[in-house]
Amino acid sequence: GACEAVVGALRAHAGHAGVAEQACGAVRNLACGSEANRARLGEAGACEAVVGALLAHGGRGNVRLDERTCNAMQNLAMDHPANRAELAAAAGSRAALLQLVARCSAPVESKHRVEMALR
């Protein structure tokens, strides 16, 4: 399905910031308001892939990419404890994930929403 295809593209082209930006935007959209898609994305490895995109490309002045990764993480984590745990694990810990988000160039509002979703 779409969830698996997007995660597959993000993983296959992890080194390409443009693909990461678009794929994180797609993850954000797929996860928004859909418990079923949040679960499918989590099972497909979206949490690890999105955090990987932020690790690889975040904080380098690409505000759109940073914002999309933050929005994707927010939507993946919303009302989904397993995805929250996977996001934190992908960064090494919840604290490490929050530090990663704090260092990225996304707007403060986007960063705050990620922090709230990870509670």
Side-chain angles (χ1 to χ4, degrees):
C3 295
E4 296 79 10
V6 169
V7 174
L10 184 51
R11 285 185 167 166
H13 304 285
H16 193 282
V19 173
E21 178 184 322
Q22 296 303 316
C24 287
V27 168
R28 172 199 63 202
N29 292 342
L30 288 165
C32 184
S34 173
E35 285 184 39
N37 279 353
R38 279 193 292 277
R40 281 201 262 324
L41 286 161
E43 291 166 7
C47 297
E48 182 180 352
V50 169
V51 171
L54 190 55
L55 284 167
H57 306 290
R60 297 194 175 129
N62 185 338
V63 175
R64 193 175 327 168
L65 179 129
D66 287 356
E67 184 172 23
R68 287 182 180 180
T69 58
C70 284
N71 294 154
M73 288 188 289
Q74 172 196 349
N75 289 350
L76 285 166
M78 192 64 60
D79 299 322
H80 203 287
N83 283 354
R84 283 196 293 275
E86 287 295 320
L87 287 163
S93 69
R94 182 179 179 279
L97 180 60
L98 292 174
Q99 287 176 353
L100 179 63
V101 168
R103 287 192 308 265
C104 80
S105 56
V108 172
E109 181 180 300
S110 294
K111 293 178 187 185
H112 180 68
R113 285 194 304 259
V114 173
E115 292 170 5
M116 297 301 292
L118 290 171
R119 288 186 180 182

